[in-house]
Amino acid sequence: MRNRRGSSPLECIMMNSENIIEGKNSVFEAFNANRGIKKLFILKGNKDEKINKLIDSVKKTGTIIKFMERDELDNMASTMSHQGIIAEVEDYKYVKVEDILDYAREKNEDPLIVLLDEVEDPHNFGAIIRSAECVGAHGIIIKNRNQAMVTAKVVSASAGSSEYMRIARVTNLSKTIDELKDKGLWFACADMDGSEMTKTNLKGSIGLVVGSEGKGVSRLVREKCDFVVKIPLKGHIDSLNVSVATGILLYEIFRQRNK
């Protein structure tokens, strides 16, 4: 039985699944990070060298590989950038908050954790993951509700960096901040009413808290933070996209840590 768009019921279910990732970099990084690939869907007539090398490697694991017409792949895709490759993978493995702290201890580094207060846009979430991974953040903490989860769009926006980032989900962000304060972390809340980031000491064990675009950080969460920081701006527009702002703040933390 086919649906109106020409895909089978199984493929339609998969299209809405959090276990589908798309695009060369995303699938390649998932494979390198040992995230189990159940099935691989490839564009017929593929001539991409990187994809062909991945196919050779995946074949050795016994993974099912299916070659499909472009319209079939388009119908399965949830993004517009599958690049001729889609994979069904094992469930994304969220971690515990303690796992993030353990990772920082293993690296003998002061913890750097990003906490998201209801960032619902998957592209913003993916971009934040990418920036966090690039600066060596030890993990990201998100809420269980009103928050984008790790889906195909997020993996694509992160360019596959989500496969290397430790992400924990919690029910109560305020309570989690209190618990982490007891473990020695200081918390910086991103807000335009704060002190300039370059004039704020962001060294040591830091949790960077950012909120959704529009609502920002909620009052209860903001009150838990030790200080509020802002990015100095000179243009006519007085705010930045949440993922851009997070990236800038993370690089300021990185700069101070490596000064």
Side-chain angles (χ1 to χ4, degrees):
M1 180 179 178
R2 314 291 287 188
N3 77 339
R4 288 192 208 172
R5 298 182 70 189
S7 49
S8 69
L10 174 60
E11 291 165 356
C12 289
I13 293 172
M14 288 174 53
M15 185 174 65
N16 296 318
S17 171
E18 292 185 6
N19 293 22
I20 298 303
I21 57 177
E22 306 165 13
K24 289 188 292 184
N25 288 336
S26 299
V27 177
F28 186 77
E29 298 301 347
F31 181 77
N32 281 348
N34 295 319
R35 188 173 177 189
I37 296 180
K38 295 180 178 180
K39 298 177 184 176
L40 199 60
F41 302 90
I42 306 293
L43 178 66
K44 283 184 178 179
N46 166 71
K47 296 181 181 179
D48 188 285
E49 184 177 350
K50 185 172 184 177
I51 292 178
N52 285 330
K53 286 182 178 179
L54 179 62
I55 291 172
D56 291 338
S57 298
V58 169
K59 280 181 179 178
K60 299 174 184 177
T61 67
T63 297
I64 297 172
I65 301 175
K66 184 175 180 180
F67 293 90
M68 307 180 73
E69 300 292 346
R70 178 167 294 279
D71 62 340
E72 293 180 296
L73 276 181
D74 289 345
N75 286 339
M76 289 177 60
S78 62
T79 72
M80 297 302 292
S81 55
H82 60 72
Q83 298 175 308
I85 181 169
I86 298 175
E88 180 186 5
V89 297
E90 301 285 352
D91 291 345
Y92 181 83
K93 292 181 174 60
Y94 293 95
V95 304
K96 298 178 180 178
V97 173
E98 190 60 39
D99 294 328
I100 296 174
L101 297 176
D102 287 343
Y103 179 54
R105 291 190 197 101
E106 289 171 11
K107 300 192 74 175
N108 196 30
E109 296 174 347
D110 291 325
L112 171 55
I113 304 175
V114 182
L115 296 88
L116 306 185
D117 190 9
E118 300 187 3
V119 174
E120 298 180 282
D121 183 272
H123 296 95
N124 282 333
F125 185 25
I128 289 170
I129 294 172
R130 186 173 185 175
S131 293
E133 204 284 324
C134 285
V135 302
H138 301 99
I140 295 175
I141 298 175
I142 63 175
K143 296 171 70 172
N144 279 323
R145 299 179 60 186
N146 302 321
Q147 165 67 46
M149 297 297 157
V150 182
T151 61
K153 290 181 180 179
V154 171
V155 174
S156 177
S158 77
S161 60
S162 56
E163 301 304 318
Y164 302 100
M165 180 55 60
R166 288 158 177 78
I167 302 175
R169 295 187 296 183
V170 298
T171 302
N172 190 316
L173 205 59
S174 296
K175 182 180 177 182
T176 299
I177 290 174
D178 282 336
E179 292 170 348
L180 288 172
K181 279 185 176 182
D182 290 339
K183 297 179 184 296
L185 270 79
W186 293 78
F187 287 87
C189 170
D191 192 276
M192 289 306 297
D193 294 331
S195 302
E196 288 192 12
M197 62 182 189
T198 56
K199 299 177 182 178
T200 305
N201 185 353
L202 297 172
K203 298 177 182 178
S205 301
I206 290 289
L208 175 63
V209 184
V210 295
S212 62
E213 194 164 6
K215 293 186 295 183
V217 178
S218 65
R219 178 182 60 81
L220 291 175
V221 172
R222 175 175 169 150
E223 289 175 352
K224 294 289 183 180
C225 295
D226 299 291
F227 39 87
V228 181
V229 293
K230 70 177 181 180
I231 300 166
L233 301 172
K234 291 184 67 175
H236 295 289
I237 305 300
D238 64 357
S239 65
L240 292 167
N241 171 279
V242 63
S243 61
V244 174
T246 304
I248 293 172
L249 288 165
L250 282 170
Y251 272 94
E252 175 58 21
I253 295 172
F254 178 83
R255 184 191 69 82
Q256 291 191 24
R257 285 184 165 212
N258 294 277
K259 190 174 180 180

